[in-house]
Amino acid sequence: MENFKLVLPEHLNHYGFLFGGNLLKWVDEIAYIAVTLDYPGCNFVTVGMDKVEFRKSIRGGSILCFVTELGKEGSTSVEYRVKVYKKSIETGERVLAFSTSITFVCVDEKGMKKTLCKGNKPG
Amino acid sequence: MENFKLVLPEHLNHYGFLFGGNLLKWVDEIAYIAVTLDYPGCNFVTVGMDKVEFRKSIRGGSILCFVTELGKEGSTSVEYRVKVYKKSIETGERVLAFSTSITFVCVDEKGMKKTLCKGNKPG
Amino acid sequence: MENFKLVLPEHLNHYGFLFGGNLLKWVDEIAYIAVTLDYPGCNFVTVGMDKVEFRKSIRGGSILCFVTELGKEGSTSVEYRVKVYKKSIETGERVLAFSTSITFVCVDEKGMKKTLCKGNKPG
Amino acid sequence: MENFKLVLPEHLNHYGFLFGGNLLKWVDEIAYIAVTLDYPGCNFVTVGMDKVEFRKSIRGGSILCFVTELGKEGSTSVEYRVKVYKKSIETGERVLAFSTSITFVCVDEKGMKKTLCKGNKPG
Amino acid sequence: MENFKLVLPEHLNHYGFLFGGNLLKWVDEIAYIAVTLDYPGCNFVTVGMDKVEFRKSIRGGSILCFVTELGKEGSTSVEYRVKVYKKSIETGERVLAFSTSITFVCVDEKGMKKTLCKGNKPG
Amino acid sequence: MENFKLVLPEHLNHYGFLFGGNLLKWVDEIAYIAVTLDYPGCNFVTVGMDKVEFRKSIRGGSILCFVTELGKEGSTSVEYRVKVYKKSIETGERVLAFSTSITFVCVDEKGMKKTLCKGNKPG
């Protein structure tokens, strides 16, 4: 799944670059959307992130492209890899600015782990 | 272009439905991203919207899919059609919840209209 | 009804002008307040906007004046015209920067259209 | 000057009432607008508030009416009295929910106090 | 209790200084946390503030230190003194930028005043 | 360093728990404050996070305590460990709800890595 986001002044730090905390918030939202669409009928909670790497600073006015890819799948959990690219408005090229992996667990109404809704797995 | 968004409690009105003003804000952001990616090297400003139709109310927790399509193209302006769908998490079906058309004008550094960067037009 | 709003840095786009989406959000809020005050006892939802025109760009620090006027009234719906002016802090003059019309429908507790509470109509 | 505001879920505390901090933020914005419109050509900064009284709790969905009145005027400073009323949507009655006084000082480009632009004083 | 906060561009006014309304919002939040931790088992509402003094303007990128101190204690109410300091990043010195006193009342489930939970008083 | 935060409805997901993305944003802000206070005269950017663990879900109205501890120190980078506790309002006990480590790099005005300002190191 690809998703786009515009970086506005309200998202910047006092050096004029994207405040990292905002990027983390968007990554959590977009990965949650990906897992929810991939496993219809399941409820998910985020349990962890790893290898969070801020590779390039990002200016106001940048257009970001978030690419989520399904990673390892356990019996009750599933991992996604999220890459965030800056799109060059001049040339259309994209540069990797951020990456992480994020893990969700499927839960029942009481918040207890339950088996992934495999029948609905994508593909 | 397709883009997704999660409706959180901070986006609701006091009846528990998406506050229309938030949807309008997202539509403006996403259409701006679309036109900027489609015409690299141009700067755009929103000049108008028309046929803004709120067709279905939208609950917290909904996943919205924004679909933007290039519409009429003038010499200095271009129109996009934006449709917003609610995705059913159970069945994967999508229902049209909102639609509008939105018009951008290409401007120079002084904010004066200029001819669209046609050489870079998509397709 | 007249209503005022201060444009802060958090509302700007990366060119330093008011991000259009924020203006649309404020217009929806203010028109909703107008219709709710004009028809006490009714619940309203926004169903549409038309002739949305961004006429002037708006800088940070501007004071905006929102003027709402009751327009056409149907049996279950009512239209408002909203004009947004920039106030000149030097001269006190005001310049039309934005206009639209917005339509509300009166609904019952189940969200079904119902007749406008005419007895309470203003004037 | 009268100004209206809609209380949305994003403004509430965890008891379902308006979070006081949001009300204080709105009062500062609206009083700043009042003093700026009343003394065109002056720049103001807030220097103090007094007698801040939260009189009634305010639920989500409330429509608030902010009434600002010019109070004492010094050589470089001016005081405003701000009252905030809840409008009853059923009866149209209004109930005083909050009041305060707020003092502004007129400053030059370096942030130093300067004499109020008396020639432009309202009335 | 000491608490820190970073001033980001989203918190500024159009002169590039912290918008006073945001500072008031933070003060209310932090004093509420202090009183809630000091009197476990009580529910509190803010009823007033006094001697609100904005002493120094605050730039983007500043680190603020909020210091709350327990003041007068009544049978159903309690007052806190809040001071906000700017930390110099170069020298580590701190400068008083804002101060106020804020009063809370202890309430029961119906929002009626009740006696402070004295047994749990700190110290 | 200890820092407190109140969880308001605007921070929740549609299940009524703290939206993870907001917690990540706060952690980035608070760790940035810690490193800036510990190494006066240095500018820092976040380069990575690791072992991000969401251990307990967090309800609206919770008071969170963020504890930051200086970890490994390199020549140009420094790591902090951040733990987030839920405070029980009834008993005063605290429960570990979240933990991570976060790494900053010291940069010069051009954004290039530079040696940590060791002379100013805490302790």
Side-chain angles (χ1 to χ4, degrees), chain E residues 63-106:
Chain E
I63 290 178
L64 301 179
C65 179
F66 293 73
V67 179
T68 53
E69 275 167 28
L70 187 57
K72 273 179 295 182
E73 190 191 48
S75 62
T76 61
S77 70
V78 59
E79 189 193 48
Y80 278 78
R81 187 90 192 137
V82 184
K83 291 181 176 149
V84 182
Y85 298 90
K86 290 195 282 190
K87 292 282 290 189
S88 165
I89 291 177
E90 263 65 35
T91 66
E93 273 180 303
R94 61 190 210 179
V95 175
L96 184 60
F98 174 92
S99 62
T100 191
S101 69
I102 179 165
T103 303
F104 295 94
V105 160
C106 180

Side-chain angles (χ1 to χ4, degrees), chain D residues 15, chain E residues 32 39 41-45 105-109 114 117, chain F residues 89:
Chain D
Y15 301 122
Chain E
Y32 174 82
Y39 297 88
C42 283
N43 292 323
F44 289 95
V45 295
V105 160
C106 180
V107 292
D108 63 18
E109 313 79 53
K114 58 172 263 199
C117 319
Chain F
I89 291 177

Side-chain angles (χ1 to χ4, degrees), chain E residues 21-48:
Chain E
N22 284 314
L23 186 51
L24 294 169
K25 187 176 168 182
W26 297 338
V27 164
D28 189 37
E29 177 190 350
I30 286 167
Y32 174 82
I33 291 173
V35 72
T36 301
L37 294 177
D38 281 352
Y39 297 88
C42 283
N43 292 323
F44 289 95
V45 295
T46 312
V47 290

Side-chain angles (χ1 to χ4, degrees), chain C residues 56-106:
Chain C
K56 300 280 179 195
S57 56
I58 296 168
R59 289 216 166 273
S62 299
I63 290 179
L64 300 181
C65 179
F66 293 73
V67 180
T68 53
E69 276 166 31
L70 186 58
K72 272 178 295 182
E73 190 191 47
S75 61
T76 61
S77 71
V78 58
E79 190 193 48
Y80 279 77
R81 187 91 193 137
V82 184
K83 289 180 178 151
V84 182
Y85 298 90
K86 290 195 284 191
K87 290 282 290 189
S88 165
I89 291 177
E90 263 65 34
T91 65
E93 273 181 303
R94 62 191 210 179
V95 175
L96 184 59
F98 173 90
S99 62
T100 192
S101 68
I102 180 166
T103 303
F104 294 95
V105 160
C106 179

Side-chain angles (χ1 to χ4, degrees), chain D residues 14-38:
Chain D
H14 57 288
Y15 301 122
F17 295 107
L18 176 58
F19 178 55
N22 284 315
L23 187 51
L24 294 168
K25 187 176 168 183
W26 297 338
V27 164
D28 189 36
E29 178 190 350
I30 286 167
Y32 174 82
I33 291 172
V35 72
T36 301
L37 294 178
D38 282 351

